[in-house]
Amino acid sequence: VIFADEIIRFNAMVEEWPKLQARHFESGYWWFAYLDDEPMAFAGLVPFDPIPLVGYLKRCCYVAPDHRGHGLQFRFFIELERKAKELGWTMLLGDCGEKNSFSASNFIKAGYQRVDPEQPWARPNDQYFAKMI
């Protein structure tokens, strides 16, 4: 909650993302990356309610276009998984846009499996991923 304004600022970096809700600040974990004072990346990890011990990669490790290609998203994946294990969670879920081959590749590289959920939670045609941890 202390960083709610910063999370909102980072979330606004992508116009099509919906605004975050208060519950994301109360029970989530957030990471930020800056170059000097310029925001360049962020990632969130929130509970996948109402399923216990499952986490959701909120905003899926967004990296600003000028800072892509240096492995930052993949390093966020590693840190998110570390935190989820610390919390005792047993599975992580995430998604990315249907044409976002770079994020999809990073999910696969990080050990996620592509899944086809019964009840999709993101935009139509998004790609979905899951990993037991």
Side-chain angles (χ1 to χ4, degrees):
V1 175
I2 294 169
F3 295 103
D5 289 341
E6 194 68 357
I7 296 166
I8 291 167
R9 183 169 79 111
F10 271 80
N11 191 69
M13 292 169 69
V14 182
E15 290 180 18
E16 66 266 15
W17 281 349
K19 291 183 180 182
L20 294 168
Q21 300 172 15
R23 66 185 168 88
H24 298 128
F25 307 127
E26 295 164 359
S27 61
Y29 301 87
W30 298 88
W31 289 259
F32 307 99
Y34 298 89
L35 181 59
D36 299 320
D37 290 332
E38 177 189 351
M40 60 181 198
F42 78 112
L45 177 65
V46 299
F48 194 75
D49 291 328
I51 304 171
L53 303 179
V54 175
Y56 175 62
L57 305 183
K58 191 73 176 172
R59 300 304 182 244
C60 196
C61 313
Y62 175 77
V63 178
D66 291 349
H67 302 287
R68 293 177 184 164
H70 303 285
L72 187 54
Q73 184 184 46
F74 183 75
R75 290 193 307 258
F76 271 135
F77 276 117
I78 293 168
E79 182 59 24
L80 295 167
E81 184 174 329
R82 186 202 60 76
K83 181 63 177 179
K85 286 179 181 178
E86 179 184 299
L87 294 167
W89 294 355
T90 58
M91 177 182 272
L92 289 173
L93 301 173
D95 55 77
C96 66
E98 68 177 317
K99 295 180 181 177
N100 191 341
S101 61
F102 296 110
S103 287
S105 293
N106 277 327
F107 269 111
I108 300 299
K109 181 180 174 184
Y112 286 77
Q113 300 294 315
R114 185 132 190 228
V115 296
D116 190 18
E118 261 184 52
Q119 297 178 355
W121 58 80
R123 298 170 296 203
N125 301 317
D126 273 4
Q127 301 177 70
Y128 294 90
F129 298 89
K131 181 178 183 179
M132 298 298 294
I133 56 171

